[in-house]
Amino acid sequence: MEIGIVGLGKMGMNLAFNLKDHGYDVKGLDLSEAALAAAKKEGVATFTNLEELTASFNGRRIIWLMLPAGEPTEKVLEQLLPLLSAKDIVVEGGNSNYKDSVRRANTFAEADISYFDCGTSGGISGARNDACLMIGGDKEVFASIEQLFKDIAIENGYLYAGASGSGHFLKMVHNGIEYGMMQAIGEGFQVVEQSNYDFDLAEVARVWNHGSVVRSWLMEIAEAQFRQSPKLADYRGVVAASGEAKWTVETALEMDVPVPTIALSLFMRNLSQEDDSFSAKVVSALRNGFGGHEIVKK
Ligand SMILES: O=C(O)[C@H](O)[C@@H](O)[C@H](O)[C@H](O)COP(=O)(O)O
């Protein structure tokens, strides 16, 4: 089966190799020469533009996008639409907002092109060997390409989630949960680290990974990181947020569903980006104003 991967970044490249391992005729497109060379070395046919990529198929095209969400994905989809034919298939595997996925699926449906939103989890190693996939789109067309998802996913690691948008909806909520779990692990280890005991954090993570309620992949990652850098002394506590937890909170607000843990986890990341927050300065000024409490000056 021929399949085109647009975007040979960390995720796309490994997905291409995963597909290659499963006998697919993989075609890769990227703007980076280094990425194209790396893909070619592993037997992926490489392309530098969508026209040539789409023209290279012998039959029904399956184009899998693995691009940063937002503008890059939107632009490529706009360019791709006129190059495809009825019955072709698009799989969008980035971290897109599910509302964008619904809109895009409707646009492609007008040209009789099936559009699947595919929430992809498991990081780089997942993309390479055993992905976790949440897929939204037409059920019958999904059945016709189900083997594709089965092949690249871990056993039991794919789900036909429902109508368009449902795949990215699930991935959005998944990432909200991810934020909450990571924040809780971070807070717990701060208490452990600042206690009067002389704990070896890697060893704490190790024992929690064996039989405890909180054993998990995240805890395994914590163990590995603490082994590399026992107190993370060379790290700064600055954490980015790509958008999905924010969408989870926005969606929950629209639905009147309380998500305090996910919301606070998101706010903690936002706060981590500020060296010295203005809100804390205001609180300090107010406290000084009514109580004469000391202001810590620069
Ligand atoms: O399930 C996954 O494999 C992850 O969720 C993955 O998608 C990644 O971690 C996010 O892109 C990071 O998101 P943040 O930048 O918001 O932490």
Short mmCIF file of all heavy atoms in Angstrom, two decimals, residues 11 95 120-124 132 134 171 174-175 178-179 182 217 239-245 269, ligand 1:
data_model
loop_
_atom_site.label_atom_id
_atom_site.label_comp_id
_atom_site.label_asym_id
_atom_site.label_seq_id
_atom_site.Cartn_x
_atom_site.Cartn_y
_atom_site.Cartn_z
N MET A 11 8.33 13.09 14.84
CA MET A 11 7.20 12.15 14.81
C MET A 11 7.02 11.55 13.41
O MET A 11 6.88 10.34 13.24
CB MET A 11 5.91 12.86 15.27
CG MET A 11 5.91 13.27 16.72
SD MET A 11 5.99 11.88 17.86
CE MET A 11 4.33 11.24 17.74
N ASN A 95 -1.27 17.48 16.50
CA ASN A 95 -2.05 17.80 17.69
C ASN A 95 -3.02 18.94 17.40
O ASN A 95 -2.99 19.98 18.05
CB ASN A 95 -1.12 18.19 18.85
CG ASN A 95 -0.62 16.97 19.61
OD1 ASN A 95 -1.26 15.92 19.60
ND2 ASN A 95 0.51 17.11 20.26
N THR A 120 -2.40 11.20 18.12
CA THR A 120 -1.26 10.30 18.15
C THR A 120 -0.52 10.48 19.46
O THR A 120 -0.04 11.57 19.75
CB THR A 120 -0.31 10.62 16.97
OG1 THR A 120 -1.09 10.70 15.77
CG2 THR A 120 0.78 9.58 16.81
N SER A 121 -0.42 9.42 20.22
CA SER A 121 0.27 9.52 21.51
C SER A 121 1.39 8.49 21.59
O SER A 121 1.45 7.56 20.79
CB SER A 121 -0.71 9.32 22.67
OG SER A 121 -0.05 9.59 23.89
N GLY A 122 2.25 8.71 22.58
CA GLY A 122 3.33 7.76 22.80
C GLY A 122 4.70 8.33 22.48
O GLY A 122 5.70 7.62 22.55
N GLY A 123 4.71 9.60 22.10
CA GLY A 123 5.99 10.26 21.84
C GLY A 123 6.74 9.65 20.67
O GLY A 123 6.16 8.95 19.83
N ILE A 124 8.04 9.92 20.64
CA ILE A 124 8.87 9.51 19.50
C ILE A 124 8.98 7.98 19.43
O ILE A 124 8.87 7.38 18.35
CB ILE A 124 10.27 10.15 19.63
CG1 ILE A 124 10.12 11.68 19.60
CG2 ILE A 124 11.19 9.69 18.52
CD1 ILE A 124 11.36 12.42 20.07
N CYS A 132 0.01 4.98 19.84
CA CYS A 132 -1.35 4.92 20.37
C CYS A 132 -2.17 5.92 19.54
O CYS A 132 -1.82 7.10 19.47
CB CYS A 132 -1.34 5.31 21.85
SG CYS A 132 -3.00 5.57 22.51
N MET A 134 -5.97 7.57 18.17
CA MET A 134 -7.39 7.81 18.37
C MET A 134 -7.92 8.45 17.10
O MET A 134 -7.50 9.55 16.76
CB MET A 134 -7.58 8.80 19.54
CG MET A 134 -7.07 8.28 20.87
SD MET A 134 -6.22 9.59 21.85
CE MET A 134 -4.50 9.11 21.64
N LYS A 171 -7.60 13.14 22.02
CA LYS A 171 -6.17 13.48 22.24
C LYS A 171 -6.06 14.75 23.09
O LYS A 171 -5.17 14.87 23.95
CB LYS A 171 -5.45 13.66 20.91
CG LYS A 171 -3.96 13.97 21.05
CD LYS A 171 -3.22 12.81 21.66
CE LYS A 171 -1.80 13.02 22.12
NZ LYS A 171 -1.03 14.15 21.85
N HIS A 174 -6.77 13.71 26.61
CA HIS A 174 -5.60 12.94 27.04
C HIS A 174 -4.49 13.87 27.50
O HIS A 174 -3.86 13.66 28.54
CB HIS A 174 -5.12 12.06 25.87
CG HIS A 174 -3.76 11.47 26.05
ND1 HIS A 174 -2.60 12.19 25.81
CD2 HIS A 174 -3.37 10.25 26.48
CE1 HIS A 174 -1.56 11.42 26.07
NE2 HIS A 174 -1.99 10.24 26.48
N ASN A 175 -4.24 14.92 26.74
CA ASN A 175 -3.15 15.82 27.10
C ASN A 175 -3.48 16.63 28.34
O ASN A 175 -2.59 16.96 29.13
CB ASN A 175 -2.78 16.73 25.93
CG ASN A 175 -1.82 16.02 24.99
OD1 ASN A 175 -1.94 14.82 24.80
ND2 ASN A 175 -0.89 16.74 24.41
N GLU A 178 -2.63 14.38 30.98
CA GLU A 178 -1.14 14.32 31.03
C GLU A 178 -0.59 15.49 31.86
O GLU A 178 0.32 15.30 32.68
CB GLU A 178 -0.65 14.39 29.57
CG GLU A 178 0.83 14.31 29.35
CD GLU A 178 1.16 14.39 27.85
OE1 GLU A 178 0.82 13.47 27.10
OE2 GLU A 178 1.75 15.41 27.42
N TYR A 179 -1.15 16.67 31.67
CA TYR A 179 -0.69 17.85 32.42
C TYR A 179 -0.90 17.63 33.93
O TYR A 179 -0.03 17.93 34.74
CB TYR A 179 -1.46 19.11 32.01
CG TYR A 179 -0.90 19.86 30.82
CD1 TYR A 179 -0.54 19.20 29.65
CD2 TYR A 179 -0.75 21.24 30.86
CE1 TYR A 179 -0.05 19.89 28.56
CE2 TYR A 179 -0.26 21.95 29.77
CZ TYR A 179 0.09 21.27 28.62
OH TYR A 179 0.57 21.95 27.55
N MET A 182 1.51 15.01 35.32
CA MET A 182 2.89 15.50 35.40
C MET A 182 3.04 16.51 36.54
O MET A 182 4.04 16.51 37.26
CB MET A 182 3.29 16.14 34.07
CG MET A 182 3.47 15.11 32.97
SD MET A 182 3.54 15.85 31.34
CE MET A 182 5.18 16.46 31.30
N TRP A 217 4.41 5.21 32.91
CA TRP A 217 5.48 5.59 31.97
C TRP A 217 6.09 6.91 32.44
O TRP A 217 7.31 7.09 32.38
CB TRP A 217 4.91 5.72 30.55
CG TRP A 217 5.97 5.89 29.50
CD1 TRP A 217 7.22 5.32 29.50
CD2 TRP A 217 5.90 6.69 28.33
NE1 TRP A 217 7.92 5.71 28.38
CE2 TRP A 217 7.14 6.54 27.64
CE3 TRP A 217 4.92 7.49 27.75
CZ2 TRP A 217 7.41 7.19 26.42
CZ3 TRP A 217 5.18 8.12 26.54
CH2 TRP A 217 6.41 7.98 25.89
N VAL A 239 8.42 25.59 31.73
CA VAL A 239 7.71 24.54 31.00
C VAL A 239 6.76 25.16 29.97
O VAL A 239 5.90 25.98 30.32
CB VAL A 239 6.89 23.66 31.97
CG1 VAL A 239 6.39 22.42 31.25
CG2 VAL A 239 7.71 23.27 33.19
N ALA A 240 6.92 24.73 28.73
CA ALA A 240 6.06 25.25 27.66
C ALA A 240 4.72 24.51 27.66
O ALA A 240 4.56 23.47 28.30
CB ALA A 240 6.75 25.09 26.33
N ALA A 241 3.77 25.05 26.95
CA ALA A 241 2.45 24.40 26.80
C ALA A 241 2.00 24.61 25.36
O ALA A 241 1.82 25.74 24.93
CB ALA A 241 1.46 25.02 27.77
N SER A 242 1.84 23.51 24.63
CA SER A 242 1.55 23.64 23.20
C SER A 242 0.11 24.02 22.88
O SER A 242 -0.17 24.49 21.80
CB SER A 242 1.88 22.34 22.46
OG SER A 242 3.20 21.98 22.70
N GLY A 243 -0.82 23.75 23.79
CA GLY A 243 -2.18 24.21 23.49
C GLY A 243 -3.30 23.26 23.87
O GLY A 243 -4.42 23.69 24.13
N GLU A 244 -2.99 21.96 23.92
CA GLU A 244 -4.11 21.03 24.08
C GLU A 244 -4.76 21.08 25.47
O GLU A 244 -5.97 20.93 25.59
CB GLU A 244 -3.66 19.62 23.73
CG GLU A 244 -3.38 19.54 22.24
CD GLU A 244 -3.23 18.14 21.77
OE1 GLU A 244 -2.39 17.43 22.34
OE2 GLU A 244 -3.94 17.75 20.85
N ALA A 245 -3.94 21.32 26.51
CA ALA A 245 -4.56 21.43 27.85
C ALA A 245 -5.42 22.69 27.92
O ALA A 245 -6.47 22.70 28.56
CB ALA A 245 -3.49 21.43 28.92
N ARG A 269 2.18 25.90 34.45
CA ARG A 269 3.13 25.99 33.33
C ARG A 269 3.26 27.43 32.87
O ARG A 269 4.36 27.92 32.59
CB ARG A 269 2.67 25.12 32.16
CG ARG A 269 2.83 23.65 32.42
CD ARG A 269 2.87 22.91 31.11
NE ARG A 269 2.81 21.48 31.33
CZ ARG A 269 2.95 20.59 30.37
NH1 ARG A 269 3.14 20.98 29.13
NH2 ARG A 269 2.87 19.31 30.64
O1 LIG B 1 0.64 11.91 23.93
C1 LIG B 1 1.74 12.33 23.63
O2 LIG B 1 2.59 11.69 23.02
C2 LIG B 1 2.07 13.70 24.06
O3 LIG B 1 0.96 14.37 24.60
C3 LIG B 1 2.60 14.51 22.95
O4 LIG B 1 1.58 14.77 22.05
C4 LIG B 1 3.39 15.68 23.46
O5 LIG B 1 3.76 15.48 24.77
C5 LIG B 1 2.73 16.99 23.38
O6 LIG B 1 2.92 17.48 22.10
C6 LIG B 1 3.38 17.97 24.32
O7 LIG B 1 2.43 18.85 24.66
P1 LIG B 1 2.80 20.12 25.52
O8 LIG B 1 3.82 20.88 24.73
O9 LIG B 1 1.51 20.87 25.62
O10 LIG B 1 3.33 19.64 26.81
#
